[in-house]
């Protein structure tokens, strides 16, 4: 008998039976067959399309939870005048991960050329993508599609602390204990094109060329 998941638990603290790693695009989901890290197969069949965040979980029809983790994907790290660069990225409705000393967006040649033209320093990397949500924390910024494939020669990039933190949180959940601070929820910042988004700190990233 095929298992189904008809519901989502947001930022769950319940111990999951397993986990699945999904890219940003894959986390926009309504109906899809999923196979977890340990081989559990089920069909996601939701009433409507939803955007998932890391830490959300699929609720199986038997009550078990499968937690969602952000998968590694091809991205670009952007440094420079972040307020100005963030405005131009937002003006193109591109999803963006905003941190204190960098912006992270999906790999895209047209965006790269635009940012380089604005004086940005752009580096290829491969890591989980956790962009800002919408006004209610789970929104999606629907960017313009440029029809370009990601850059083929991405630099090797060591997993950042955020990636390790995500897997540490998964380990904690698998042990059945709620992570510290889980009751605080996630704070997201929605902004219009005329506003400057808040920048949050992140841990230093070392790039290997």
């Amino acid at each position: 008998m095929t298992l189904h998941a008809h519901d989502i638990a947001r930022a769950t603290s319940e111990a999951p039976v397993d986990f699945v790693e999904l890219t940003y695009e894959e986390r926009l989901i309504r109906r899809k067959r999923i196979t977890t890290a340990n081989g559990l197969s089920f069909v996601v069949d939701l009433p409507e399309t939803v955007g998932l965040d890391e830490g959300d979980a699929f609720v199986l029809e038997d009550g078990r939870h499968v937690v969602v983790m952000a998968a590694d994907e091809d991205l670009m790290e952007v440094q420079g005048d972040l307020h100005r660069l963030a405005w131009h990225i937002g003006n193109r409705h591109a999803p963006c991960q905003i941190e204190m000393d960098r912006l992270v967006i999906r790999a895209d040649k047209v965006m790269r050329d635009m940012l380089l033209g604005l004086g940005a320093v752009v580096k290829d990397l491969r890591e989980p993508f956790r962009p800002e949500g919408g006004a209610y924390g789970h929104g999606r910024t629907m960017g313009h599609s440029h029809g370009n494939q990601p850059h083929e020669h991405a630099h090797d990039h060591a997993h950042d602390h955020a990636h390790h933190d995500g897997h540490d949180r998964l380990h904690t959940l698998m042990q059945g204990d709620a992570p510290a601070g889980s009751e605080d929820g996630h704070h997201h910042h929605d902004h219009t094109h005329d506003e400057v988004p808040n920048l949050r700190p992140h841990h230093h990233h070392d790039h290997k060329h």
Side-chain angles (χ1 to χ4, degrees):
M1 179 179 176
T2 302
L3 275 173
H4 288 78
H6 300 292
D7 198 10
I8 298 296
R10 295 293 188 180
T12 182
S13 60
E14 182 169 331
V17 65
D18 207 345
F19 72 96
V20 60
E21 290 188 323
L22 301 175
T23 65
Y24 177 73
E25 287 295 336
E26 291 170 340
R27 297 197 302 271
L28 184 65
I29 191 170
R30 180 182 180 275
R31 183 175 175 83
K32 181 180 178 67
R33 178 174 290 278
I34 295 286
T35 300
T36 66
N38 293 309
L40 176 64
S41 180
F42 62 96
V43 173
V44 178
D45 189 8
L46 303 175
E48 59 186 8
T49 300
V50 299
L52 301 176
D53 291 332
E54 187 171 71
D56 293 342
F58 297 109
V59 181
L60 303 180
E61 53 197 342
D62 60 9
R64 293 180 295 171
H65 285 202
V66 174
V67 74
V68 174
M69 302 298 294
D72 287 349
E73 53 188 297
D74 292 327
L75 305 171
M76 299 190 304
E77 177 183 275
V78 181
Q79 293 179 308
D81 184 347
L82 297 188
H83 292 81
R84 178 169 175 257
L85 296 171
W87 188 93
H88 283 280
I89 291 171
N91 194 44
R92 284 153 181 80
H93 305 285
C96 183
Q97 182 175 318
I98 302 171
E99 299 178 1
M100 182 63 72
D101 60 355
R102 69 171 191 167
L103 306 173
V104 178
I105 62 175
R106 290 182 293 177
D108 183 282
K109 184 180 184 303
V110 172
M111 290 292 288
R112 173 194 294 277
D113 291 344
M114 179 200 74
L115 292 166
L116 290 174
L118 292 169
V121 175
V122 181
K123 297 179 181 178
D124 296 295
L125 57 104
R126 186 170 177 82
E127 65 181 43
F129 187 41
R130 305 180 181 93
E132 294 293 303
Y136 300 99
H138 298 282
R140 282 270 171 161
T141 300
M142 307 308 290
H144 301 300
S145 175
H146 300 128
N148 292 286
Q149 295 299 319
H151 197 279
E152 295 178 357
H153 303 290
H155 300 294
D156 290 335
H157 183 81
H159 284 188
D160 65 354
H161 288 286
H163 195 182
H164 289 301
D165 290 346
H167 284 85
D168 288 345
R169 183 177 186 277
L170 172 63
H171 178 74
T172 301
L173 287 172
M174 296 295 279
Q175 296 300 316
D177 297 321
S182 62
E183 295 179 358
D184 294 337
H186 300 287
H187 299 284
H188 299 265
H189 304 281
D190 196 34
H191 61 277
T192 65
H193 299 326
D194 294 326
E195 296 174 336
V196 176
N198 290 330
L199 302 179
R200 60 174 182 268
H202 87 294
H203 298 288
H204 179 69
H205 298 258
D206 293 324
H207 296 274
K208 297 178 182 179
H209 297 276

